[in-house]
Amino acid sequence: MADSSFDIVSKVERQEVDNALNQAAKEISQRYDFKGVGASISWSGDKILLEANSEDRVKAVLDVFQSKLVKRGISLKALDAGEPQISGKEYKIFASLQEGISQDNAKKVAKIIRDEGPKGVKAQVQGDELRVTSKSRDDLQAVIALLKGKDFDFALQFVNYR
């Protein structure tokens, strides 16, 4: 019988982020506490630009956006928001989306699987993802449960389970 496998990836569905951004923009335009403060949220290339006329308001815009991301099932670990920067009379925050697992993070995950996972489970780095293989599907389930129990500083998804 062939080995069973799955891939560990860190991806963000851009359409869901776009939907969350549009929902946040709509809420910001309608909410009373954002009237007259120049609050806005929009795409700026492949980054997200949040603007308002005070530091507190721009942080509130970020909070609204984060709540919309959570409602759409996107991990906040994938959002890398910078500190508020003053630009003229406006405060701005640039946020970017982190995708892919870096080599260092992939090695950390592989080491956890090797050290704490069931015997006979192999993990190999393939670009910006990790392939986990084993003869037993139960062992793969145990690895998924093990990794879900760990707290990484990046989002993980498990795909291509065969």
Side-chain angles (χ1 to χ4, degrees), residues 12-21 68-69 72-74:
V12 177
E13 205 170 314
R14 177 121 175 156
Q15 185 60 50
E16 288 296 326
V17 174
D18 198 36
N19 291 342
L21 186 133
K68 299 298 179 192
L69 287 174
R72 293 209 148 266
I74 298 169

Side-chain angles (χ1 to χ4, degrees), residues 72-83:
R72 293 209 148 266
I74 298 169
S75 173
L76 293 181
K77 292 177 181 176
L79 182 71
D80 182 25
E83 289 300 309

Side-chain angles (χ1 to χ4, degrees), residues 7 22 25-26 36 79 95 104 121 123-124 127 131 138-139 148 159:
D7 294 334
N22 290 335
K26 186 174 181 182
L79 182 71
D104 293 340
V121 176
Q124 63 190 95
R131 164 121 339 137
D138 291 341
D139 288 350
K148 282 186 176 179
V159 296

Side-chain angles (χ1 to χ4, degrees), residues 105-115 123-125 130:
N105 290 335
K107 287 177 184 174
K108 286 180 197 171
V109 173
K111 181 171 173 29
I112 288 172
I113 292 171
R114 244 189 346 267
D115 295 347
Q124 63 190 95
V125 179
L130 202 68

Side-chain angles (χ1 to χ4, degrees), residues 82-111:
E83 289 300 309
Q85 302 167 343
I86 191 159
S87 167
K89 293 182 178 178
E90 293 273 308
Y91 281 85
K92 296 180 179 188
I93 293 179
F94 285 98
S96 60
L97 299 169
Q98 295 177 327
E99 289 194 302
I101 302 173
S102 70
Q103 289 292 324
D104 293 340
N105 290 335
K107 287 177 184 174
K108 286 180 197 171
V109 173
K111 181 171 173 29

